[in-house]
Amino acid sequence: MAPFLAYDGKGPHTTTPLPLVLIHGHPFDRTMWAPQVAAFSAERRVIVPDLRGYGASPVVPGITPLSVFAEDVAALLDELRVPEFVLGGLSMGGQIAMECYRLFPERIRGLLLADTFAAAETPEGKASRGAMAERLLREGMGGYAEEVLYRMVAPYAPPEVAAHVHRMMTGTSAEGAAAALRGRAERPDYRELLTRVGVPALVVVGEDDGFTPVSDARAMHEALPDAVLDVVPGAAHMPNLEQPAHFNKSMTNWLTRLPDDRSRSSPRP
């Protein structure tokens, strides 16, 4: 049976080093992880799905809770026969990664949380996400993309990075994005969960991130029992694209700490 989610999978199909699964944020797609796929797939299997409603995956209108996104990821990995893995996500993808840890912690051997936060939505935030969902359905993605582009990436980001991010945003289905916004508004509070995470974690944040500021990253780092914090200079909300060499080096150093991972090689430039 074909997997429900579109995905890219590159690298050797081995259990050592552990496969790396990376979950994109909103409103992006799997191509946001291109620098990490290129860097790490020489030594390990790297799997990057398009979430439902995004990229080349099916669009399901209505509401998509984070638990559904997490179940989709688990189903894909079942299809690919990947029982254990290192899991990472950025922004909404980081919250989905936390939901994955809530639902199936026994499968996750390391947790990367980039430019995300663990608290539940506030009443004001719920209303804002609901209003944005309605706006996207009414107007499409173009206006929103123009408004937030230089908050997603820093105003000083390389033009090709800004163009990539803009393409992802304008290429996203308004129906899929709206369903995710509604589901994300109802997410649980993951702060207590973080105190029970039993695997090494890496918390990364762009120094100039206005969506999920450094204070949010520090709070997650303090809650996690075994975590490394990296504040990336010269980056906003997408340090993996804005400063890929720094981001990849941070990941490489962290991956060598994982007890079930024997990869000690550096990523390609």
Side-chain angles (χ1 to χ4, degrees):
M1 186 173 83
F4 177 75
L5 299 181
Y7 72 97
D8 287 330
K10 296 186 177 181
H13 288 210
T14 59
T15 57
T16 304
L18 290 160
L20 175 63
V21 180
L22 298 172
I23 305 175
H24 67 78
H26 163 90
F28 310 127
D29 58 47
R30 67 187 189 266
T31 67
M32 68 159 278
W33 295 113
Q36 288 67 54
V37 174
F40 293 100
S41 61
E43 300 292 335
R44 71 176 69 236
R45 190 177 187 183
V46 183
I47 300 165
V48 288
D50 280 336
L51 298 170
R52 70 165 65 197
Y54 296 86
S57 287
V59 175
V60 182
I63 179 169
T64 306
L66 296 192
S67 59
V68 171
F69 285 128
E71 289 159 2
D72 286 347
V73 171
L76 172 64
L77 296 175
D78 288 344
E79 286 284 335
L80 299 180
R81 299 183 180 180
V82 177
E84 298 181 348
F85 47 90
V86 179
L87 181 64
L90 182 142
S91 193
M92 181 180 76
Q95 293 171 336
I96 295 168
M98 288 184 262
E99 179 66 13
C100 288
Y101 194 87
R102 186 184 74 84
L103 293 177
F104 42 89
E106 70 283 353
R107 301 182 67 170
I108 298 168
R109 292 291 170 262
L111 191 62
L112 161 66
L113 300 174
D115 298 80
T116 190
F117 61 101
E121 194 58 88
T122 63
E124 295 79 12
K126 289 182 179 181
S128 176
R129 291 192 191 278
M132 180 58 71
E134 293 303 315
R135 176 190 168 185
L136 295 183
L137 290 173
R138 186 173 62 250
E139 301 178 6
M141 301 297 294
Y144 170 76
E146 293 294 331
E147 288 175 16
V148 303
L149 176 59
Y150 287 105
R151 293 184 66 199
M152 295 294 187
V153 299
Y156 50 78
E160 63 273 16
V161 172
H164 180 188
V165 173
H166 188 267
R167 283 195 304 272
M168 288 192 292
M169 289 195 289
T170 56
T172 293
S173 158
E175 290 81 3
L181 283 166
R182 294 187 184 112
R184 195 176 177 194
E186 302 301 327
R187 69 183 181 275
D189 191 323
Y190 295 110
R191 287 176 291 185
E192 192 277 330
L193 173 73
L194 292 186
T195 68
R196 297 184 282 108
V197 170
V199 298
L202 173 62
V203 179
V204 183
V205 66
E207 184 177 48
D208 294 330
D209 190 340
F211 286 115
T212 55
V214 173
S215 58
D216 288 343
R218 293 194 189 282
M220 292 192 302
H221 175 244
E222 291 170 4
L224 289 155
D226 179 9
V228 175
L229 173 65
D230 186 11
V231 180
V232 182
H237 194 54
M238 304 193 72
N240 71 300
L241 284 174
E242 296 171 89
Q243 296 292 341
H246 184 124
F247 193 94
N248 292 349
K249 182 178 180 181
S250 184
M251 283 188 63
T252 298
N253 293 338
W254 171 67
L255 287 167
T256 62
R257 300 179 58 241
L258 301 186
D260 294 333
D261 194 299
R262 296 176 179 81
S263 174
R264 294 296 182 267
S265 59
S266 297
R268 298 177 298 197

